[in-house]
Amino acid sequence: MLSLLIACMELLFLINLLIFAEKNKLNIIAELLIFILILYQLLEFIICRTGTGNSWIIYIAFSTIAFLPPLSLLFVLNIKGVHHKLLKLIFIPPIFFTIFYLFYLNDFHLIECNTFYSVYKYPLGDFFGLFYYIPVLISIILLIIEVIKNKKVKLVVVLFGFLIMSFPVALGFILKLFGDGRLVAAIVSVMCKSAFLFAFSIFYYALYNKTNKKNE
């Protein structure tokens, strides 16, 4: 039920942006990010409620959420006013995993599902995690630099959203160093729950974001 509740609240963010936010590139990226989070939460809700063994649904959930990190990085780069054709290369990892995982559909399994998170078995978990979290880490570093240079409230809010979303990841790897790998096993699901505040932060930024030379 938590997944459905979060999806509904994020849907309200998206509807408000579509109605009230200015139509520009940065805001469109924010809307795509929130849409991805909504879709993942809905898919997780369906997986847990039906107890389905259908690997297709789990595959679609992972393929969807794989695009969150590069889109998040693109969002931050647009805040900084960085525009380059080569930025499209940051989408190579999620495209690779989406295609690669098509050949290993039978290796996707739901291990556990409860009110707060789900645990899945899927191929190349560590490799997927590496390419998943590096863009998020880069985004945080760039945001810290931007906040130091330009102390705007909406920048601080976005940085806060990124940090909250990433906290379970940092905690998971710390616990794993001490021999407890339970959080790491459920990290994709847990991170997407904590990403509710990330969704709010980019909603807040986009709602007040107006077109100027920096994000045209």
Side-chain angles (χ1 to χ4, degrees), residues 75-165:
F75 181 81
V76 173
L77 290 172
N78 271 263
I79 287 177
K80 293 179 64 64
V82 178
H83 305 281
H84 198 285
K85 292 181 179 179
L86 291 179
L87 287 180
K88 295 177 182 178
L89 295 177
I90 64 177
F91 291 97
I92 289 178
I95 291 172
F96 164 78
F97 281 108
T98 299
I99 296 172
F100 175 81
Y101 280 156
L102 267 176
F103 298 95
Y104 294 90
L105 283 174
N106 293 331
D107 292 333
F108 282 88
H109 301 287
L110 176 66
I111 304 299
E112 179 187 351
C113 188
N114 58 49
T115 304
F116 300 103
Y117 61 84
S118 300
V119 180
Y120 304 98
K121 178 184 178 183
Y122 54 97
L124 298 180
D126 292 339
F127 193 52
F128 179 85
L130 177 66
F131 282 95
Y132 193 88
Y133 300 120
I134 284 178
V136 176
L137 180 60
I138 294 173
S139 299
I140 291 172
I141 293 170
L142 293 176
L143 274 173
I144 291 173
I145 295 171
E146 192 68 16
V147 167
I148 292 172
K149 290 167 52 180
N150 189 355
K151 297 178 178 64
K152 289 184 177 180
V153 173
K154 60 183 184 180
L155 283 174
V156 176
V157 170
V158 174
L159 176 59
F160 179 76
F162 267 94
L163 291 173
I164 291 297
M165 177 175 66

